[in-house]
Amino acid sequence: MPENTSKVSMEKLVSLCQRRGFIFPSSDIYGGLSGCWDYGPVGVELKRNIKEAWWRATVQERDDIIGMDTSILMNSKVWEASGHIKSFSDPLVECKNCHMRWKADDLTENKCPACGGTLTEERMFNTMFKTFIGPVEEDAAIVYLRPETAQGMFVNFQNAVNTSRKRLPFGIAQMGKSFRNEITTGNFIFRSREFEIMEFEYFVKPGTDEKWFDYWVEERLKWYAKLGLKKEHLRLYQHPKEKLAHYAHSCTDVTYLFPHGWAELEGIANRTDFDLKQHSVASGKSLEYFDDETKEHYIPYIIEPSVGVDRAILAFLCDAYDEEPDKDEIRVLFHFHPDLAPIKVAVLPLSRKENLAAFARDVHATLRPCFTTQYDDTQSIGRRYRRQDELGTPYCVTIDFQSLEDNMATIRERDSMNQIRVPVAALKNTLQAKLAGEDLFVLPEGGKIWKQGSNE
Ligand code: GAP
């Protein structure tokens, strides 16, 4: 595989995602809505798992970060103070001939990509969506759909300090819907108009910010690697000073090798004391911190790692995608990390005969409280394995007629296609151990293993 090529094309991925119920265009039966996507029954599980893994690593497993869930609509003064009303804009040009509008940064030539016509001068276009509170559409009632979740955390800084009693350095994390009226959307879910962000604001003592910035760049890279993203598909990109966002002192992107090339997956910014200072001045409320060790009052600096959930989903989908020769065919599968796999266990009865089906349904009933499962009794067992491979299901449990006699079931592994036969009573613990990544796996009494390719 050449170094700068993704294993899967975007067309293939989009089609597989639609066919298997990961992601559909929004309002599909009406022709879709540009830049908006719906997650299907499998996609919603993948999304929940990615968010859950982020929350666990960011909030649950740390002493120094607390969670929040702030509102999407906020007082418009927030966006004035944050600089979004003035600066959250893209430079746009318009074709004098066909009147299409283009993002000036995206153009390599000074003519319209659609018709070749001449372009106007650049004009700034604010990418926040506006709406109104109350029944009368008057200026006083204008509110914005948030383009990021960060501001909800800045304006709650004192609430967080007072109620959590955390001392610096500490962070506030949240995830949630964000909206941007992007001029150009595309590359599937990479750039949308409605998307989710997972981000946290890590408040530190000024002077220690660079150390913490480096720390978080490393930690965030480790998080992706732990969940299976290949190290060679991740790179860091340091923004040159002249291209930084209005609030940032420095910013490093974690970039990923998407099918359309290397692009930003996550941004890690040193936002200095910009945000708290702005909100302090605009609201008239002090957002200073009292350091009881040094007896100083100061405004903390903020390090902010921020990733789009949908972009993370795209990266995990691309990275897990695989095609393998299998006899005369090609086996398509997702090698998802077990924590991320949408379906953990599929229960597959070999036949629909009532005695076998009843047995399989009982097995399913004992497993479904513990794992996200699927019960599938349609088509041949080979096709069902293929379907589960395309969903990235790590384990299939097959119930055959022998099971009725010896009370054993077969576990088939997605990646190796090896099969092990274990007593039904040991299924839950065995699957739990395997999903938790236990390398040293001991077969329960009476268990048996078939390696791929062996004829035993
Ligand atoms: N609070 C900082 C912030 O919002 P950003 O770089 O503008 O920073 C954070 O956005 C992350 O959100 C990006 O790294 C990217 O993963 C994701 N993101 C930004 N715009 C997006 C869009 N239009 N569609 C999908 N994801 C987007």
Side-chain angles (χ1 to χ4, degrees):
M1 188 66 42
E3 200 197 339
N4 278 319
T5 318
S6 165
K7 196 160 197 174
V8 58
S9 71
M10 203 64 105
E11 294 73 34
K12 242 186 212 176
L13 193 68
V14 173
S15 145
L16 178 58
C17 282
Q18 199 157 346
R19 188 159 47 83
R20 287 287 172 233
F22 283 90
I23 301 164
F24 309 113
S26 158
S27 330
D28 205 6
I29 58 168
Y30 288 100
L33 177 65
S34 151
C36 300
W37 299 91
D38 295 343
Y39 287 83
V42 188
V44 70
E45 298 294 342
L46 177 62
K47 191 182 207 188
R48 282 165 55 97
N49 292 342
I50 290 174
K51 287 162 65 175
E52 178 59 34
W54 183 87
W55 193 263
R56 207 176 325 118
T58 309
V59 179
Q60 194 181 326
E61 291 176 358
R62 299 188 64 102
D63 294 330
D64 56 348
I65 303 187
I66 51 171
M68 265 201 172
D69 183 19
T70 69
S71 65
I72 288 177
L73 301 178
M74 301 178 77
N75 191 315
S76 294
K77 289 180 186 158
V78 168
W79 306 111
E80 270 166 39
S82 69
H84 280 81
I85 289 181
K86 198 162 145 240
S87 314
F88 197 66
S89 329
D90 277 332
L92 269 197
V93 290
E94 186 175 320
C95 173
K96 289 180 182 164
N97 180 37
C98 69
H99 300 288
M100 289 270 288
R101 287 184 175 172
W102 304 95
K103 216 168 154 176
D105 295 348
D106 290 346
L107 299 180
T108 46
E109 288 181 285
N110 194 21
K111 58 182 181 190
C112 172
C115 73
T118 47
L119 302 168
T120 61
E121 292 292 302
E122 285 179 20
R123 267 190 302 138
M124 295 312 276
F125 171 80
N126 194 296
T127 49
M128 279 199 296
F129 280 102
K130 263 187 205 170
T131 187
F132 302 90
I133 282 203
V136 185
E137 292 189 8
E138 58 189 24
D139 277 4
I142 283 181
V143 283
Y144 298 90
L145 300 189
R146 67 179 177 199
E148 60 170 12
T149 74
Q151 302 301 325
M153 298 185 271
F154 302 142
V155 300
N156 272 294
F157 174 68
Q158 285 303 10
N159 285 338
V161 173
N162 295 342
T163 55
S164 72
R165 300 187 310 277
K166 293 278 176 211
R167 312 312 297 160
L168 253 52
F170 85 95
I172 309 177
Q174 84 164 322
M175 50 176 76
K177 285 273 182 173
S178 305
F179 304 83
R180 295 184 192 179
N181 195 0
E182 299 281 4
I183 317 304
T184 39
T185 57
N187 292 316
F188 196 23
I189 51 173
F190 179 82
R191 189 181 309 281
S192 340
R193 297 202 164 97
E194 174 178 338
F195 57 100
E196 276 190 74
I197 290 186
M198 318 186 268
E199 59 189 356
F200 59 95
E201 312 303 327
Y202 199 73
F203 303 94
V204 304
K205 184 174 182 184
T208 65
D209 46 309
E210 291 190 6
K211 176 185 86 179
W212 283 110
F213 182 83
D214 294 344
Y215 168 84
W216 279 115
V217 170
E218 284 307 310
E219 282 301 298
R220 294 302 304 143
L221 272 178
K222 278 191 223 157
W223 185 77
Y224 290 110
K226 191 172 152 218
L227 288 172
L229 282 201
K230 294 177 193 72
K231 290 206 172 100
E232 63 272 24
H233 292 166
L234 290 167
R235 274 186 197 163
L236 295 177
Y237 167 77
Q238 203 177 347
H239 284 250
K241 287 270 178 240
E242 65 277 11
K243 292 235 167 171
L244 289 171
H246 63 274
Y247 51 74
H249 164 71
S250 54
C251 184
T252 294
D253 287 346
V254 176
T255 64
Y256 178 77
L257 182 57
F258 289 100
H260 58 286
W262 289 96
E264 174 184 347
L265 169 60
E266 166 157 354
I268 300 157
N270 179 348
R271 300 184 69 126
T272 68
D273 54 4
F274 174 85
D275 307 279
L276 292 183
K277 257 189 185 157
Q278 289 291 110
H279 287 304
S280 197
V281 170
S283 66
K285 303 274 164 34
S286 167
L287 295 176
E288 273 186 346
Y289 172 81
F290 176 64
D291 189 328
D292 9 21
E293 273 175 27
T294 62
K295 309 292 175 215
E296 293 167 275
H297 285 91
Y298 53 81
I299 296 205
Y301 268 39
I302 295 174
I303 309 300
E304 178 198 63
S306 174
V307 52
V309 176
D310 312 76
R311 244 178 235 192
I313 293 172
L314 185 58
F316 283 113
L317 281 167
C318 295
D319 227 67
Y321 181 89
D322 205 0
E323 290 177 10
E324 290 178 359
D326 181 29
K327 298 191 188 101
D328 298 335
E329 294 178 14
I330 297 287
R331 181 168 90 108
V332 172
L333 73 160
F334 284 114
H335 294 283
F336 290 126
H337 184 283
D339 288 357
L340 302 189
I343 314 288
K344 313 286 185 218
V345 178
V347 177
L348 315 176
L350 213 57
S351 130
R352 281 180 166 174
K353 288 235 166 66
E354 189 40 43
N355 55 346
L356 196 69
F359 188 94
R361 276 198 293 268
D362 279 351
V363 170
H364 186 217
T366 61
L367 298 180
R368 69 194 301 177
C370 319
F371 316 102
T372 310
T373 58
Q374 213 175 61
Y375 184 88
D376 186 2
D377 61 2
T378 56
Q379 299 184 308
S380 75
I381 190 70
R383 294 185 82 151
R384 279 182 274 164
Y385 282 151
R386 287 299 160 79
R387 192 153 53 230
Q388 292 302 329
D389 288 341
E390 287 190 346
L391 300 179
T393 307
Y395 299 107
C396 291
V397 170
T398 316
I399 310 292
D400 54 25
F401 288 101
Q402 184 70 25
S403 308
L404 299 177
E405 287 167 25
D406 61 7
N407 225 8
M408 308 260 279
T410 302
I411 300 177
R412 182 255 195 190
E413 290 188 333
R414 174 195 67 200
D415 295 347
S416 64
M417 291 196 280
N418 286 344
Q419 303 194 357
I420 59 173
R421 190 135 176 106
V422 300
V424 165
L427 269 177
K428 192 182 93 183
N429 287 348
T430 308
L431 288 163
Q432 252 158 359
K434 286 182 111 9
L435 285 163
E438 282 186 24
D439 284 343
L440 204 63
F441 174 66
V442 183
L443 281 177
E445 207 178 322
K448 208 174 165 194
I449 186 160
W450 286 271
K451 291 255 184 249
Q452 206 203 341
S454 82
N455 293 324
E456 265 185 66

